[in-house]
Structure formats: structure tokens, C-alpha cells
Amino acid sequence: MSETHLSGTSENETWDVIVVGGGAAGLSAALTLGRARRQVLVIDAGEPRNRFAAHMHGSLGNEGIDPAQLLQRGREEVSAYDVTIRPGTVHTVADADRSLAVTLTDGETLTARAVIAATGLSDDLPDIPGLAEQWGSGVLHCPYCHGWEVRGQRLAVLGTSPMSLHQAELIRQWSDHLVFFTAACGPVDPALAVRLRARGVELIDTAVVEVLAEQGRLTGVRLADGRTVALDAMFTAPAPRPHEEFLAGLDLERAENPMGSVIAVDPVGRTSHPRVWAIGNLVNPGANVPISIGAGSMTGGMVNMALVTEEFDDAVAGELTPGGYWENEYAGSTRRWSGRVNQTMAEIVGSLPVGDALDLGCGEGGDAVWLAEQGWQVTAVDISPTATARGAEGAAARGVANRITWVHHDLSTWTTEQTFDLVTASFFHSTVELPRTEILRRAAGQLRPGGHLLIVSHVFKRAEDVPPWALRHHKDDDGGNHAGNDAADLEARLSVLLTPGEEVAELALGEAEWEVVTEEIRSREATGPDGQETATVKDGVVLVRRR
């Protein structure tokens, strides 16, 4: 059975994964997925959170480089794999048929089997004149990223919330000269104040009203009472604002962390939606570059595994459909056709005038080739492409290729405007569910007046009626013996086989238009696939003529 992977590179096709956000987390996920042979699209707004910093620290192997240089290197690395990067922003993500519809702000809609949200966040800074201009240079937020560069200097912590109390304790590690501006934190617990002063931290409860700088370099702050405090650098904790609006329509579950409400994810980045993952600062505001890279790598691998699992699930489900089952039956074995026509069919058709014939469920074409050799113009239809391909080879070898049209199609949905003088269905049974009676009725409707419908079927009602080679195939057709359930399973299979009388009643074609010519059970000697083993089998024969 052929296998189709839904993937592509245009809006009319489906990407394996769309990564929204081209920062460290998003590119890391894209790299892992690209190396997993996934077709990946990265949509990048081009505004990484750390774009205000000139240097990046604490990242092994990339210590001190410009963050923009890291991203450029990352883009070059992912471009070596099946990854496309394009500028843009995403407006919405919505559920589609076993996929996600990703609509960009320019109106274009793309489709993906999975989405990784790596859009990060914006830092909403205190509204103090001069502060924004110093963000990333004189005003900092992470001592692990920038503390070494200002170690031992005159530092301050600008409080923004009660969380700043912890930041003040932390920054003390990098300098003995630390001022803590507490105005925005509310009253400081006396015990905590004692704790901070015990290590030489100066507490000032007057509000900061301006950040001062000379020649672009921070020099201090002005307080509400007019005083100035000389500084070399200041740390603060801005309010994180995740870039998550495009996911609002999915109603994802949320979680609370010390920095506020974020989209809830499991340890590998999966959200409450089975096709959406979220990584980096979008769900972990405190993640630095190495953490974000690691999260992207982990999530990229997990997304690939989820797609792999889905593909195997689809393949198994496909084999359980009539088309998948029968294609597996033919493709998974050598040629089944013995080259012999069904004896009962040949005896019945031999007395009919030659014309146009339709062979339903033709398999590898034994009956179709025989009909062509008798002068019939044949349309042979089967659900298995392997079966029809082998039938065409057999017809060519027997010199009747020009008299047979081979059609690979599911008979449940196949239709034709052509009419016929004969419709045959020899052993038209399916182990997996198939609307057999509906197919036969539809095919009968394609008969011309005076045309015949011939149905030859097994009428095994007991296990002892089944040829020994068929019993062996039954035991092995799922890869092993059915053991204790074998007898019950076989009985269930035999129960669906109809006697000729039951067949006629099931068809219910109507006496006004149809005449039952033959309705009988015939015995015949059959030879097994090995050409040696023989057995007497019973065929049910139904021949009806359109009046």
C-alpha cells in the first residue's frame, strides 16, 4: 500500500510543522525537525527579546557573542535541512481537518500538522524617563547574563513588585555596593529589611523619577525628593507580556508561575491541544538562551515522535480498511493467480453470447483474461493496485492486453456510465467490511436489457467444507495462529457467506425487471496453490438476466 506524507511548501499544501518565532528556541526546534526530514516553516517577526543586548553570556560555546550573530548562525545551520524561514507574524491558529490553519497578518492561510509557538515575550518596563533608552546596557534584568560585566561596581535594584525582594538578595552576589529602591514594592517586611542590611544593602523608599546618563552611559538616578544617586548599572524586573494572542482561539489551558499567567505545557512543551507545543520565554519568562535552545531541541524531537506515531497509526488504520487490507494481501505475497479461470464461471459464461463484460473484484485477473480470450471486451476492477498490475502483466503475456481495461478503485465508490452485457463477481467476499450487496446492485444497474449478472461464491457453512489450504491461510493471514479463538473466528467468517437463495433474497432485484436463470450449488474438484493438493468444494451460483 502506498504511503502519503502530508507536507509541502505552499499554502495549498500542508507543512509537517510550522514554528512561529525564529529566536533561539524556535530555530533549535526547527533544526531538530529538519534533521528528522520534516518539512518545516519558521515564521519570524524578527524581534527577539534579547535584541537590546550587545553581547550574550552564559551560553557554552557562544560566550560573549552578539545575539544577532547567534541567530544568523542558526538560520544558516537550519537552511542546510528542509527548513524554510520567512518573515511575518501570525494572526490566528485554528483547528482544521486533522491539522491546523495558520493565518498570517497579511491574510494568507497555511496548513500544518503541528505548530510550535516560540514567539517569546516583550518586557514592559517601568514608565520612568530615560529607563527605556538604557535597557540592555545600563539597565539590566538578569545577573547571570550581565552580572559579571558590572561586578564590583555601584549597582541598584529598581523594585517593581514583591518579587524584587528576591532579586535584591541575588544581585548582592555581584557587588558589595548595592542600593535597593523599594517604593514600588510596598512596605518591606522588617525582618527582610534586617536581612538585606546585614549584607550592606542600602534600602531607599523614595520613588525613582528619572534615569540619568551621559554620552549614552548610565550614571545614576534622580529621586522624587530631588536627590540623585550615582550608579554604574541598575537591575529591574519588567512585567513580561507573552506574545500569545494568535493562540487565543484554541482556548489552551493556563498555568501560574511567579511571573504571571502563561500557557500550560508539560515537560516536553505540549499544550492542552494535541497539535500545539509552546517553548522558550512564551511559557518560561525566566529562560535564558541555553535553556531556550535545550527546550527547542527537546520539543522538536517530541513533535517529530508525535508525527511518527500518527503516521504509523494511519498506516495501520489504512490496512484495516478494505483497500489497505487487500493491497496488503496482494503486495505482501507472491502472485496468487494460478492462471486458471474459475471452472464454474467458465461453464456458465460459455453458453452466453460474447459482448462487453465487467469483472468485479477481478483480483489478479484470472477470469478477466479468460473472458478476453473468449472474445469479450472486459473492464476489470479491483481495490488493490498490485492485483490489477499483475493482471495487466498476465493479459500482456497471454496476448489479450488490448481487450481488457484495468481499473484500480474502491468498488464502494466506483461508478461508470458504461453499460455491459455481463457482470461477473467470482468469490466477491471481503474479510474486512465492504458494502457487497450495494456494489452488486449498482453493477446490475449497468447491464443492458438481456444482460446477465453472474455471482459465483463460496458456500462454506461448516469448517469441514473449507479446503485445507484455505484453512491454513486463515490461520496465517494475520501473521500467526489464532490459537483458542481460531474456531470461533472461522465460524464468524463463514456465517457471512450466503447460499444462492439467500443471495437472491439479499439482492432483491424485483421480478418485473429481472429473471432468475440459475440458483444452485455446484460441486467441483479444486486444486490448491501448490498444484498438488485437491479437494471437493461447493460453489453457490446465481445467474440473473435483465428482462
Side-chain angles (χ1 to χ4, degrees):
M1 184 173 62
S2 63
E3 185 177 59
T4 300
H5 293 280
L6 297 175
S7 54
T9 56
S10 77
E11 63 177 312
N12 297 320
E13 297 177 301
T14 299
W15 297 88
D16 284 329
V17 185
I18 291 180
V19 180
V20 187
L27 289 177
S28 177
L31 179 64
T32 297
L33 287 160
R35 288 181 53 81
R37 303 178 65 202
R38 294 295 177 188
Q39 290 189 331
V40 182
L41 172 65
V42 178
I43 301 173
D44 184 17
E47 296 183 347
R49 182 187 185 187
N50 62 359
R51 66 187 182 277
F52 300 99
H55 302 282
M56 185 183 74
H57 300 285
S59 182
L60 187 65
N62 293 296
E63 176 63 23
I65 73 168
D66 186 332
Q69 183 182 350
L70 176 76
L71 296 184
Q72 180 58 37
R73 185 184 300 170
R75 293 187 185 99
E76 293 170 356
E77 289 172 351
V78 301
S79 67
Y81 306 101
D82 204 356
V83 176
T84 300
I85 302 175
R86 59 174 290 182
T89 54
V90 173
H91 180 58
T92 59
V93 175
D95 279 304
D97 182 18
R98 301 189 72 220
S99 61
L100 294 165
V102 180
T103 301
L104 308 186
T105 51
D106 64 7
E108 183 180 3
T109 297
L110 308 168
T111 305
R113 296 172 62 194
V115 164
I116 298 177
T119 42
L121 57 80
S122 291
D123 293 298
D124 288 342
L125 301 170
D127 186 16
I128 298 175
L131 189 148
E133 291 78 4
Q134 286 295 313
W135 182 241
S137 55
V139 178
L140 311 167
H141 79 289
C142 173
Y144 296 105
C145 300
H146 307 289
W148 176 265
E149 282 64 43
V150 295
R151 66 193 184 282
Q153 299 181 31
R154 297 171 300 178
L155 305 182
V157 171
L158 175 63
T160 56
S161 72
M163 283 295 297
S164 298
L165 300 171
H166 301 285
Q167 189 179 32
E169 286 193 359
L170 181 62
I171 301 302
R172 173 62 180 81
Q173 173 62 25
W174 278 266
S175 179
D176 298 337
H177 312 286
L178 179 62
V179 177
F180 181 21
F181 299 111
T182 67
C185 300
V188 178
D189 180 86
L192 183 56
V194 170
R195 182 179 179 83
L196 290 170
R197 291 189 178 108
R199 294 207 66 200
V201 179
E202 179 183 0
L203 278 64
I204 298 178
D205 60 6
T206 305
V208 174
V209 296
E210 184 181 4
V211 173
L212 306 174
E214 292 181 5
Q215 298 180 346
R217 184 178 181 86
L218 184 144
T219 58
V221 297
R222 189 184 310 280
L223 305 182
D225 59 10
R227 289 182 295 158
T228 61
V229 178
L231 298 170
D232 298 303
M234 182 167 65
F235 288 82
T236 191
R241 178 166 46 85
H243 299 157
E244 59 181 32
E245 297 84 359
F246 66 101
L247 296 171
L250 298 178
D251 195 25
L252 302 175
E253 293 180 5
R254 303 194 67 80
E256 297 296 326
N257 72 20
M259 298 186 183
S261 175
V262 295
I263 295 169
V265 295
D266 69 9
V268 297
R270 188 192 290 266
T271 72
S272 56
H273 192 291
R275 294 188 180 274
V276 178
W277 281 256
I279 54 175
N281 288 150
L282 181 65
V283 292
N284 182 4
N288 60 12
V289 170
I291 292 173
S292 296
I293 290 174
S297 178
M298 170 67 77
T299 298
M302 292 300 101
V303 171
N304 177 63
M305 193 63 234
L307 297 181
V308 166
T309 301
E310 182 178 69
E311 287 155 0
F312 271 93
D313 289 345
D314 288 348
V316 171
E319 290 192 358
L320 296 179
T321 64
Y325 176 85
W326 286 109
E327 173 59 13
N328 184 60
E329 285 288 289
Y330 285 104
S333 63
T334 57
R335 181 183 294 274
R336 290 181 162 198
W337 177 30
S338 66
R340 298 186 301 271
V341 66
N342 171 253
Q343 176 184 330
T344 301
M345 191 278 290
E347 291 174 357
I348 299 292
V349 174
S351 63
L352 300 178
V354 172
D356 295 316
L358 170 62
D359 187 9
L360 295 174
C362 64
E364 292 174 320
D367 291 354
V369 170
W370 181 87
L371 286 166
E373 290 176 332
Q374 310 313 306
W376 292 83
Q377 194 68 39
V378 184
T379 299
V381 188
D382 198 90
I383 202 168
S384 165
T386 296
T388 53
R390 289 175 179 172
E393 293 173 2
R398 299 267 280 265
V400 291
N402 63 331
R403 301 197 65 81
I404 306 177
T405 300
W406 300 94
V407 179
H408 154 232
H409 206 284
D410 183 349
L411 283 166
S412 303
T413 57
W414 180 75
T415 59
T416 178
E417 295 182 359
Q418 186 179 355
T419 58
F420 303 93
D421 301 296
L422 172 67
V423 172
T424 67
S426 295
F427 309 116
F428 185 48
H429 311 293
S430 179
T431 304
V432 289
E433 185 175 355
L434 195 70
R436 179 176 180 273
T437 300
E438 177 186 328
I439 293 168
L440 291 171
R441 284 187 189 136
R442 188 189 311 127
Q446 301 300 121
L447 282 169
R448 298 164 185 157
H452 291 82
L453 168 64
L454 173 61
I455 305 172
V456 180
S457 57
H458 296 302
V459 287
F460 309 140
K461 287 299 184 181
R462 303 171 303 171
E464 51 263 36
D465 295 331
V466 182
W469 56 85
L471 277 175
R472 286 194 295 271
H473 173 69
H474 163 71
K475 290 184 178 182
D476 295 335
D477 62 5
D478 67 352
N481 197 303
H482 290 268
N485 293 326
D486 188 60
D489 186 37
L490 179 58
E491 181 179 350
R493 293 188 184 207
L494 297 182
S495 68
V496 302
L497 300 177
L498 304 177
T499 65
E502 292 169 338
E503 190 84 79
V504 171
E506 185 85 8
L507 287 172
L509 292 176
E511 294 182 5
E513 188 178 357
W514 298 90
E515 172 192 3
V516 178
V517 179
T518 303
E519 177 188 321
E520 65 183 23
I521 296 176
R522 295 190 178 190
S523 297
R524 62 181 172 89
E525 289 299 311
T527 304
D530 62 1
Q532 303 295 324
E533 195 172 16
T534 62
T536 300
V537 298
K538 295 178 180 180
D539 294 338
V541 180
V542 171
L543 180 67
V544 295
R545 183 179 70 86
R546 191 166 200 170
R547 297 183 188 277

